[in-house]
Amino acid sequence: LPSIKIAASGQILGVALFCITVLFVMFAMFANIETMSEVQVPILALATNLSPIFGAVFAIIIMFGIYSSAVPLLYGPAIRFVDEKKVSGKTVMLIMAMIGAFIPLFLPYNELMNIIYTANGYIGVIFIILVAVKVVIRFTGKGKKQERREAE
């Protein structure tokens, strides 16, 4: 960008437009509070109320959002166990993807989100604890002693 002033003004404009959009969505949801309380994906119901075409397009956008979140969550752990370039690795990833796509078919959306967010929360807490332990080990010097022994 040519200057910091242009970048800052673009950032301020973007945040302002985002906040205005969120306010419009919030007001629309409050205006249709009865409908919103009965559905599992309120923003999708809101889009469908505007137009069935908007609802269909938004459903596709939601599917792409779920896909773009699910693929890295599957791919990251899978490549730790299998070689992605071998046929066996591709088979394992395909089986994992099929299991990940098949199991949610039997759960309502709200139960599925409850399970996923709860699991992600617990995994996040465990990850933070492990990172904290690693940092403490490094700063106390025990990690350096272990590294020196491994180097010898």
Side-chain angles (χ1 to χ4, degrees), residues 70-130:
V71 168
L73 288 173
L74 168 70
Y75 183 75
I79 62 170
R80 295 193 185 277
F81 301 110
V82 294
D83 184 3
E84 64 187 287
K85 295 177 181 152
K86 292 184 179 178
V87 175
S88 61
K90 291 178 182 177
T91 304
V92 168
M93 283 195 252
L94 180 64
I95 291 169
M96 288 174 63
M98 288 170 52
I99 291 170
F102 186 70
I103 291 173
L105 293 175
F106 300 103
L107 294 171
Y109 181 78
N110 58 346
E111 288 181 31
L112 182 64
M113 288 297 103
N114 191 20
I115 291 168
I116 290 172
Y117 281 118
T118 303
N120 277 342
Y122 286 126
I123 292 168
V125 168
I126 291 168
F127 181 74
I128 289 170
I129 290 170
L130 291 174

Short mmCIF file of all heavy atoms in Angstrom, two decimals, residues 70-130:
data_model
loop_
_atom_site.label_atom_id
_atom_site.label_comp_id
_atom_site.label_asym_id
_atom_site.label_seq_id
_atom_site.Cartn_x
_atom_site.Cartn_y
_atom_site.Cartn_z
N ALA A 70 -13.36 -28.53 7.89
CA ALA A 70 -13.21 -29.96 8.16
C ALA A 70 -11.97 -30.56 7.51
O ALA A 70 -11.31 -31.42 8.10
CB ALA A 70 -14.46 -30.72 7.70
N VAL A 71 -11.65 -30.13 6.31
CA VAL A 71 -10.52 -30.72 5.59
C VAL A 71 -9.20 -30.53 6.34
O VAL A 71 -8.47 -31.50 6.55
CB VAL A 71 -10.44 -30.20 4.14
CG1 VAL A 71 -9.13 -30.57 3.49
CG2 VAL A 71 -11.61 -30.75 3.34
N PRO A 72 -8.86 -29.33 6.80
CA PRO A 72 -7.61 -29.21 7.56
C PRO A 72 -7.63 -30.00 8.86
O PRO A 72 -6.60 -30.52 9.30
CB PRO A 72 -7.48 -27.71 7.84
CG PRO A 72 -8.37 -27.04 6.88
CD PRO A 72 -9.45 -28.01 6.54
N LEU A 73 -8.81 -30.08 9.51
CA LEU A 73 -8.90 -30.85 10.75
C LEU A 73 -8.69 -32.34 10.50
O LEU A 73 -8.22 -33.07 11.37
CB LEU A 73 -10.26 -30.62 11.42
CG LEU A 73 -10.45 -29.24 12.05
CD1 LEU A 73 -11.89 -29.08 12.52
CD2 LEU A 73 -9.49 -29.02 13.20
N LEU A 74 -9.05 -32.81 9.32
CA LEU A 74 -8.82 -34.21 8.96
C LEU A 74 -7.39 -34.41 8.45
O LEU A 74 -6.72 -35.35 8.84
CB LEU A 74 -9.81 -34.64 7.88
CG LEU A 74 -9.53 -35.96 7.17
CD1 LEU A 74 -9.78 -37.12 8.14
CD2 LEU A 74 -10.38 -36.10 5.95
N TYR A 75 -6.93 -33.53 7.59
CA TYR A 75 -5.65 -33.68 6.92
C TYR A 75 -4.47 -33.61 7.89
O TYR A 75 -3.55 -34.42 7.81
CB TYR A 75 -5.50 -32.60 5.84
CG TYR A 75 -4.25 -32.72 5.04
CD1 TYR A 75 -4.12 -33.70 4.07
CD2 TYR A 75 -3.18 -31.86 5.25
CE1 TYR A 75 -2.96 -33.81 3.32
CE2 TYR A 75 -2.02 -31.97 4.51
CZ TYR A 75 -1.92 -32.94 3.55
OH TYR A 75 -0.77 -33.05 2.83
N GLY A 76 -4.52 -32.67 8.84
CA GLY A 76 -3.41 -32.50 9.78
C GLY A 76 -3.08 -33.76 10.56
O GLY A 76 -1.95 -34.24 10.53
N PRO A 77 -4.06 -34.33 11.26
CA PRO A 77 -3.76 -35.56 12.00
C PRO A 77 -3.46 -36.75 11.09
O PRO A 77 -2.64 -37.60 11.43
CB PRO A 77 -5.04 -35.83 12.79
CG PRO A 77 -5.75 -34.53 12.85
CD PRO A 77 -5.36 -33.80 11.61
N ALA A 78 -4.11 -36.82 9.93
CA ALA A 78 -3.94 -37.98 9.05
C ALA A 78 -2.50 -38.09 8.56
O ALA A 78 -1.94 -39.19 8.52
CB ALA A 78 -4.90 -37.90 7.88
N ILE A 79 -1.87 -36.98 8.17
CA ILE A 79 -0.52 -37.07 7.62
C ILE A 79 0.52 -37.40 8.68
O ILE A 79 1.65 -37.74 8.35
CB ILE A 79 -0.12 -35.80 6.85
CG1 ILE A 79 -0.11 -34.58 7.77
CG2 ILE A 79 -1.00 -35.59 5.66
CD1 ILE A 79 0.51 -33.35 7.13
N ARG A 80 0.16 -37.31 9.95
CA ARG A 80 1.09 -37.73 11.01
C ARG A 80 1.19 -39.24 11.08
O ARG A 80 2.17 -39.78 11.58
CB ARG A 80 0.66 -37.17 12.35
CG ARG A 80 0.73 -35.67 12.40
CD ARG A 80 0.59 -35.18 13.82
NE ARG A 80 0.55 -33.74 13.88
CZ ARG A 80 1.63 -32.97 13.89
NH1 ARG A 80 2.81 -33.49 13.80
NH2 ARG A 80 1.51 -31.66 13.96
N PHE A 81 0.18 -39.95 10.61
CA PHE A 81 0.15 -41.41 10.72
C PHE A 81 0.41 -42.12 9.40
O PHE A 81 0.82 -43.27 9.40
CB PHE A 81 -1.20 -41.86 11.28
CG PHE A 81 -1.50 -41.29 12.63
CD1 PHE A 81 -2.50 -40.35 12.79
CD2 PHE A 81 -0.76 -41.66 13.74
CE1 PHE A 81 -2.76 -39.81 14.04
CE2 PHE A 81 -1.01 -41.12 14.99
CZ PHE A 81 -2.02 -40.19 15.14
N VAL A 82 0.11 -41.47 8.28
CA VAL A 82 0.26 -42.12 6.99
C VAL A 82 0.95 -41.19 6.01
O VAL A 82 0.95 -39.97 6.18
CB VAL A 82 -1.12 -42.55 6.41
CG1 VAL A 82 -1.76 -43.61 7.26
CG2 VAL A 82 -2.03 -41.38 6.23
N ASP A 83 1.56 -41.79 4.99
CA ASP A 83 2.18 -41.01 3.92
C ASP A 83 1.09 -40.65 2.91
O ASP A 83 0.50 -41.53 2.28
CB ASP A 83 3.29 -41.82 3.26
CG ASP A 83 4.05 -41.03 2.21
OD1 ASP A 83 3.75 -39.83 2.02
OD2 ASP A 83 4.94 -41.61 1.56
N GLU A 84 0.85 -39.37 2.75
CA GLU A 84 -0.24 -38.91 1.90
C GLU A 84 -0.05 -39.26 0.42
O GLU A 84 -1.02 -39.29 -0.34
CB GLU A 84 -0.40 -37.40 2.03
CG GLU A 84 0.84 -36.65 1.54
CD GLU A 84 0.78 -35.19 1.80
OE1 GLU A 84 0.01 -34.51 1.11
OE2 GLU A 84 1.51 -34.73 2.68
N LYS A 85 1.18 -39.56 0.01
CA LYS A 85 1.44 -39.82 -1.40
C LYS A 85 1.24 -41.29 -1.77
O LYS A 85 1.11 -41.62 -2.94
CB LYS A 85 2.85 -39.36 -1.75
CG LYS A 85 2.99 -37.86 -1.62
CD LYS A 85 4.38 -37.40 -1.89
CE LYS A 85 4.41 -35.89 -1.71
NZ LYS A 85 5.67 -35.38 -1.33
N LYS A 86 1.22 -42.16 -0.76
CA LYS A 86 1.03 -43.58 -1.03
C LYS A 86 -0.46 -43.90 -1.11
O LYS A 86 -1.30 -43.20 -0.56
CB LYS A 86 1.67 -44.42 0.07
CG LYS A 86 3.18 -44.35 0.08
CD LYS A 86 3.75 -45.27 1.13
CE LYS A 86 5.26 -45.22 1.12
NZ LYS A 86 5.84 -46.06 2.17
N VAL A 87 -0.77 -44.99 -1.79
CA VAL A 87 -2.17 -45.42 -1.93
C VAL A 87 -2.77 -45.74 -0.57
O VAL A 87 -3.93 -45.40 -0.30
CB VAL A 87 -2.25 -46.65 -2.88
CG1 VAL A 87 -3.67 -47.18 -2.93
CG2 VAL A 87 -1.76 -46.28 -4.26
N SER A 88 -1.98 -46.36 0.32
CA SER A 88 -2.50 -46.69 1.65
C SER A 88 -2.85 -45.42 2.42
O SER A 88 -3.85 -45.39 3.15
CB SER A 88 -1.48 -47.52 2.43
OG SER A 88 -0.29 -46.79 2.61
N GLY A 89 -2.05 -44.39 2.28
CA GLY A 89 -2.33 -43.12 2.95
C GLY A 89 -3.60 -42.48 2.42
O GLY A 89 -4.42 -41.97 3.20
N LYS A 90 -3.76 -42.51 1.11
CA LYS A 90 -4.98 -41.95 0.51
C LYS A 90 -6.21 -42.75 0.95
O LYS A 90 -7.27 -42.19 1.18
CB LYS A 90 -4.86 -41.93 -1.01
CG LYS A 90 -3.83 -40.93 -1.50
CD LYS A 90 -3.70 -40.96 -3.00
CE LYS A 90 -2.61 -39.98 -3.42
NZ LYS A 90 -2.37 -39.99 -4.85
N THR A 91 -6.04 -44.05 1.07
CA THR A 91 -7.15 -44.91 1.50
C THR A 91 -7.54 -44.58 2.94
O THR A 91 -8.74 -44.47 3.25
CB THR A 91 -6.76 -46.39 1.38
OG1 THR A 91 -6.34 -46.66 0.04
CG2 THR A 91 -7.91 -47.30 1.76
N VAL A 92 -6.55 -44.43 3.82
CA VAL A 92 -6.84 -44.09 5.21
C VAL A 92 -7.55 -42.75 5.30
O VAL A 92 -8.54 -42.60 6.03
CB VAL A 92 -5.54 -44.09 6.06
CG1 VAL A 92 -5.77 -43.47 7.43
CG2 VAL A 92 -5.01 -45.50 6.21
N MET A 93 -7.07 -41.76 4.55
CA MET A 93 -7.72 -40.44 4.57
C MET A 93 -9.14 -40.51 4.03
O MET A 93 -10.04 -39.86 4.55
CB MET A 93 -6.89 -39.43 3.79
CG MET A 93 -5.69 -38.95 4.58
SD MET A 93 -4.96 -37.47 3.89
CE MET A 93 -3.47 -38.14 3.21
N LEU A 94 -9.35 -41.30 3.00
CA LEU A 94 -10.69 -41.46 2.44
C LEU A 94 -11.63 -42.12 3.44
O LEU A 94 -12.78 -41.67 3.63
CB LEU A 94 -10.64 -42.27 1.14
CG LEU A 94 -11.98 -42.50 0.45
CD1 LEU A 94 -12.57 -41.17 -0.02
CD2 LEU A 94 -11.80 -43.44 -0.73
N ILE A 95 -11.14 -43.15 4.12
CA ILE A 95 -11.97 -43.82 5.13
C ILE A 95 -12.29 -42.86 6.28
O ILE A 95 -13.44 -42.79 6.74
CB ILE A 95 -11.27 -45.10 5.64
CG1 ILE A 95 -11.25 -46.15 4.53
CG2 ILE A 95 -11.94 -45.64 6.90
CD1 ILE A 95 -10.38 -47.35 4.82
N MET A 96 -11.30 -42.09 6.73
CA MET A 96 -11.55 -41.12 7.79
C MET A 96 -12.56 -40.07 7.35
O MET A 96 -13.44 -39.68 8.13
CB MET A 96 -10.24 -40.44 8.21
CG MET A 96 -9.31 -41.34 9.00
SD MET A 96 -7.70 -40.60 9.34
CE MET A 96 -8.15 -39.22 10.37
N ALA A 97 -12.46 -39.62 6.11
CA ALA A 97 -13.41 -38.63 5.59
C ALA A 97 -14.81 -39.20 5.51
O ALA A 97 -15.80 -38.53 5.84
CB ALA A 97 -12.95 -38.14 4.22
N MET A 98 -14.91 -40.46 5.09
CA MET A 98 -16.23 -41.09 5.01
C MET A 98 -16.85 -41.25 6.40
O MET A 98 -18.04 -41.01 6.58
CB MET A 98 -16.12 -42.43 4.29
CG MET A 98 -15.87 -42.26 2.80
SD MET A 98 -15.44 -43.77 1.91
CE MET A 98 -16.73 -44.88 2.34
N ILE A 99 -16.04 -41.64 7.38
CA ILE A 99 -16.54 -41.76 8.75
C ILE A 99 -16.97 -40.38 9.26
O ILE A 99 -18.05 -40.23 9.85
CB ILE A 99 -15.47 -42.38 9.67
CG1 ILE A 99 -15.26 -43.84 9.31
CG2 ILE A 99 -15.86 -42.22 11.15
CD1 ILE A 99 -14.05 -44.47 9.99
N GLY A 100 -16.15 -39.38 8.99
CA GLY A 100 -16.46 -38.02 9.42
C GLY A 100 -17.69 -37.45 8.74
O GLY A 100 -18.37 -36.59 9.29
N ALA A 101 -18.01 -37.93 7.55
CA ALA A 101 -19.20 -37.46 6.84
C ALA A 101 -20.43 -38.31 7.18
O ALA A 101 -21.55 -37.80 7.17
CB ALA A 101 -18.96 -37.49 5.34
N PHE A 102 -20.23 -39.57 7.51
CA PHE A 102 -21.35 -40.49 7.73
C PHE A 102 -21.96 -40.35 9.13
O PHE A 102 -23.19 -40.31 9.27
CB PHE A 102 -20.87 -41.93 7.51
CG PHE A 102 -21.96 -42.95 7.58
CD1 PHE A 102 -22.91 -43.03 6.58
CD2 PHE A 102 -22.04 -43.83 8.65
CE1 PHE A 102 -23.92 -43.97 6.63
CE2 PHE A 102 -23.05 -44.77 8.71
CZ PHE A 102 -24.00 -44.84 7.70
N ILE A 103 -21.14 -40.27 10.15
CA ILE A 103 -21.64 -40.21 11.53
C ILE A 103 -22.55 -39.00 11.76
O ILE A 103 -23.62 -39.15 12.35
CB ILE A 103 -20.47 -40.25 12.54
CG1 ILE A 103 -19.83 -41.64 12.51
CG2 ILE A 103 -20.93 -39.90 13.94
CD1 ILE A 103 -18.57 -41.76 13.33
N PRO A 104 -22.19 -37.79 11.30
CA PRO A 104 -23.07 -36.65 11.56
C PRO A 104 -24.45 -36.73 10.89
O PRO A 104 -25.35 -35.99 11.27
CB PRO A 104 -22.29 -35.46 10.99
CG PRO A 104 -20.88 -35.89 11.00
CD PRO A 104 -20.91 -37.36 10.76
N LEU A 105 -24.61 -37.62 9.93
CA LEU A 105 -25.92 -37.75 9.29
C LEU A 105 -27.00 -38.19 10.26
O LEU A 105 -28.18 -37.96 10.02
CB LEU A 105 -25.84 -38.74 8.12
CG LEU A 105 -24.99 -38.32 6.93
CD1 LEU A 105 -24.91 -39.46 5.92
CD2 LEU A 105 -25.55 -37.08 6.28
N PHE A 106 -26.62 -38.82 11.36
CA PHE A 106 -27.58 -39.37 12.31
C PHE A 106 -27.82 -38.46 13.52
O PHE A 106 -28.53 -38.84 14.43
CB PHE A 106 -27.12 -40.75 12.77
CG PHE A 106 -27.00 -41.72 11.64
CD1 PHE A 106 -25.76 -42.05 11.12
CD2 PHE A 106 -28.13 -42.27 11.05
CE1 PHE A 106 -25.65 -42.94 10.07
CE2 PHE A 106 -28.02 -43.14 9.99
CZ PHE A 106 -26.78 -43.48 9.49
N LEU A 107 -27.20 -37.28 13.52
CA LEU A 107 -27.37 -36.37 14.65
C LEU A 107 -28.01 -35.06 14.19
O LEU A 107 -27.66 -34.55 13.13
CB LEU A 107 -26.00 -36.05 15.27
CG LEU A 107 -25.26 -37.19 15.94
CD1 LEU A 107 -23.86 -36.75 16.32
CD2 LEU A 107 -26.01 -37.63 17.18
N PRO A 108 -28.91 -34.52 14.99
CA PRO A 108 -29.42 -33.19 14.67
C PRO A 108 -28.29 -32.15 14.76
O PRO A 108 -27.32 -32.34 15.51
CB PRO A 108 -30.47 -32.93 15.75
CG PRO A 108 -30.79 -34.25 16.33
CD PRO A 108 -29.58 -35.11 16.14
N TYR A 109 -28.44 -31.08 14.03
CA TYR A 109 -27.38 -30.07 13.93
C TYR A 109 -26.99 -29.54 15.31
O TYR A 109 -25.80 -29.41 15.60
CB TYR A 109 -27.85 -28.92 13.03
CG TYR A 109 -26.82 -27.85 12.84
CD1 TYR A 109 -25.75 -28.04 11.97
CD2 TYR A 109 -26.89 -26.65 13.53
CE1 TYR A 109 -24.80 -27.06 11.79
CE2 TYR A 109 -25.94 -25.67 13.36
CZ TYR A 109 -24.91 -25.88 12.49
OH TYR A 109 -23.97 -24.90 12.34
N ASN A 110 -27.97 -29.22 16.16
CA ASN A 110 -27.63 -28.64 17.46
C ASN A 110 -26.86 -29.62 18.34
O ASN A 110 -25.95 -29.23 19.05
CB ASN A 110 -28.88 -28.11 18.17
CG ASN A 110 -29.92 -29.17 18.39
OD1 ASN A 110 -29.87 -30.26 17.82
ND2 ASN A 110 -30.90 -28.86 19.22
N GLU A 111 -27.19 -30.91 18.29
CA GLU A 111 -26.44 -31.91 19.07
C GLU A 111 -25.02 -32.07 18.52
O GLU A 111 -24.06 -32.21 19.28
CB GLU A 111 -27.16 -33.25 19.05
CG GLU A 111 -28.41 -33.28 19.89
CD GLU A 111 -29.09 -34.65 19.86
OE1 GLU A 111 -28.36 -35.66 19.73
OE2 GLU A 111 -30.32 -34.69 19.97
N LEU A 112 -24.91 -32.05 17.20
CA LEU A 112 -23.60 -32.17 16.56
C LEU A 112 -22.69 -31.00 16.96
O LEU A 112 -21.53 -31.20 17.32
CB LEU A 112 -23.76 -32.23 15.04
CG LEU A 112 -22.50 -32.41 14.22
CD1 LEU A 112 -21.85 -33.74 14.54
CD2 LEU A 112 -22.82 -32.31 12.74
N MET A 113 -23.22 -29.79 16.92
CA MET A 113 -22.44 -28.62 17.32
C MET A 113 -22.06 -28.69 18.79
O MET A 113 -20.94 -28.33 19.17
CB MET A 113 -23.22 -27.33 17.05
CG MET A 113 -23.34 -26.98 15.59
SD MET A 113 -21.74 -26.67 14.80
CE MET A 113 -21.48 -28.18 13.89
N ASN A 114 -22.97 -29.19 19.62
CA ASN A 114 -22.67 -29.33 21.05
C ASN A 114 -21.50 -30.30 21.26
O ASN A 114 -20.59 -30.02 22.04
CB ASN A 114 -23.92 -29.82 21.79
CG ASN A 114 -23.77 -29.73 23.28
OD1 ASN A 114 -22.93 -28.99 23.79
ND2 ASN A 114 -24.58 -30.47 23.98
N ILE A 115 -21.50 -31.40 20.53
CA ILE A 115 -20.41 -32.38 20.65
C ILE A 115 -19.10 -31.80 20.13
O ILE A 115 -18.05 -31.90 20.78
CB ILE A 115 -20.78 -33.67 19.89
CG1 ILE A 115 -21.93 -34.39 20.60
CG2 ILE A 115 -19.56 -34.59 19.76
CD1 ILE A 115 -22.55 -35.50 19.77
N ILE A 116 -19.16 -31.17 18.96
CA ILE A 116 -17.93 -30.65 18.33
C ILE A 116 -17.32 -29.54 19.18
O ILE A 116 -16.11 -29.54 19.44
CB ILE A 116 -18.22 -30.17 16.90
CG1 ILE A 116 -18.50 -31.38 16.00
CG2 ILE A 116 -17.06 -29.34 16.35
CD1 ILE A 116 -18.98 -31.01 14.62
N TYR A 117 -18.12 -28.58 19.61
CA TYR A 117 -17.57 -27.47 20.39
C TYR A 117 -17.05 -27.94 21.75
O TYR A 117 -16.02 -27.45 22.23
CB TYR A 117 -18.60 -26.35 20.55
CG TYR A 117 -18.71 -25.48 19.33
CD1 TYR A 117 -19.89 -25.39 18.62
CD2 TYR A 117 -17.62 -24.76 18.88
CE1 TYR A 117 -19.99 -24.60 17.49
CE2 TYR A 117 -17.69 -23.97 17.75
CZ TYR A 117 -18.89 -23.89 17.07
OH TYR A 117 -18.97 -23.11 15.95
N THR A 118 -17.73 -28.89 22.36
CA THR A 118 -17.25 -29.42 23.64
C THR A 118 -15.91 -30.14 23.45
O THR A 118 -14.97 -29.91 24.21
CB THR A 118 -18.29 -30.38 24.24
OG1 THR A 118 -19.53 -29.69 24.39
CG2 THR A 118 -17.85 -30.91 25.58
N ALA A 119 -15.83 -30.99 22.42
CA ALA A 119 -14.58 -31.70 22.15
C ALA A 119 -13.45 -30.73 21.83
O ALA A 119 -12.33 -30.88 22.34
CB ALA A 119 -14.78 -32.69 21.01
N ASN A 120 -13.73 -29.73 20.99
CA ASN A 120 -12.70 -28.75 20.65
C ASN A 120 -12.25 -27.98 21.90
O ASN A 120 -11.07 -27.65 22.03
CB ASN A 120 -13.21 -27.77 19.59
CG ASN A 120 -13.08 -28.32 18.21
OD1 ASN A 120 -12.33 -29.27 17.96
ND2 ASN A 120 -13.80 -27.74 17.28
N GLY A 121 -13.17 -27.70 22.80
CA GLY A 121 -12.80 -27.01 24.04
C GLY A 121 -11.86 -27.83 24.89
O GLY A 121 -10.84 -27.34 25.37
N TYR A 122 -12.20 -29.11 25.09
CA TYR A 122 -11.34 -29.98 25.88
C TYR A 122 -9.97 -30.17 25.22
O TYR A 122 -8.93 -30.13 25.89
CB TYR A 122 -11.99 -31.35 26.12
CG TYR A 122 -13.11 -31.30 27.13
CD1 TYR A 122 -14.36 -31.79 26.82
CD2 TYR A 122 -12.90 -30.78 28.40
CE1 TYR A 122 -15.40 -31.75 27.75
CE2 TYR A 122 -13.92 -30.73 29.33
CZ TYR A 122 -15.17 -31.22 29.00
OH TYR A 122 -16.17 -31.18 29.92
N ILE A 123 -9.96 -30.37 23.91
CA ILE A 123 -8.69 -30.52 23.20
C ILE A 123 -7.86 -29.25 23.31
O ILE A 123 -6.64 -29.29 23.51
CB ILE A 123 -8.94 -30.91 21.73
CG1 ILE A 123 -9.52 -32.33 21.66
CG2 ILE A 123 -7.67 -30.80 20.90
CD1 ILE A 123 -10.06 -32.71 20.30
N GLY A 124 -8.51 -28.10 23.22
CA GLY A 124 -7.81 -26.82 23.35
C GLY A 124 -7.18 -26.65 24.72
O GLY A 124 -6.04 -26.19 24.84
N VAL A 125 -7.92 -27.02 25.77
CA VAL A 125 -7.38 -26.91 27.14
C VAL A 125 -6.18 -27.83 27.30
O VAL A 125 -5.15 -27.44 27.85
CB VAL A 125 -8.48 -27.23 28.18
CG1 VAL A 125 -7.88 -27.42 29.56
CG2 VAL A 125 -9.52 -26.13 28.20
N ILE A 126 -6.29 -29.06 26.81
CA ILE A 126 -5.16 -30.00 26.90
C ILE A 126 -3.96 -29.46 26.14
O ILE A 126 -2.82 -29.51 26.62
CB ILE A 126 -5.58 -31.39 26.36
CG1 ILE A 126 -6.59 -32.03 27.32
CG2 ILE A 126 -4.37 -32.30 26.18
CD1 ILE A 126 -7.28 -33.26 26.76
N PHE A 127 -4.19 -28.90 24.96
CA PHE A 127 -3.11 -28.34 24.15
C PHE A 127 -2.42 -27.18 24.89
O PHE A 127 -1.19 -27.11 24.94
CB PHE A 127 -3.66 -27.87 22.81
CG PHE A 127 -2.62 -27.29 21.90
CD1 PHE A 127 -1.71 -28.11 21.26
CD2 PHE A 127 -2.55 -25.92 21.69
CE1 PHE A 127 -0.74 -27.57 20.43
CE2 PHE A 127 -1.59 -25.38 20.87
CZ PHE A 127 -0.69 -26.20 20.23
N ILE A 128 -3.21 -26.29 25.48
CA ILE A 128 -2.63 -25.16 26.21
C ILE A 128 -1.81 -25.65 27.39
O ILE A 128 -0.71 -25.14 27.66
CB ILE A 128 -3.75 -24.20 26.67
CG1 ILE A 128 -4.31 -23.46 25.45
CG2 ILE A 128 -3.23 -23.20 27.69
CD1 ILE A 128 -5.56 -22.67 25.73
N ILE A 129 -2.31 -26.65 28.10
CA ILE A 129 -1.55 -27.20 29.23
C ILE A 129 -0.23 -27.79 28.76
O ILE A 129 0.82 -27.56 29.36
CB ILE A 129 -2.40 -28.24 29.99
CG1 ILE A 129 -3.54 -27.55 30.73
CG2 ILE A 129 -1.54 -29.04 30.97
CD1 ILE A 129 -4.57 -28.49 31.30
N LEU A 130 -0.27 -28.56 27.66
CA LEU A 130 0.97 -29.16 27.15
C LEU A 130 1.97 -28.10 26.70
O LEU A 130 3.18 -28.23 26.94
CB LEU A 130 0.64 -30.12 26.00
CG LEU A 130 -0.11 -31.39 26.40
CD1 LEU A 130 -0.49 -32.19 25.16
CD2 LEU A 130 0.72 -32.23 27.34
#
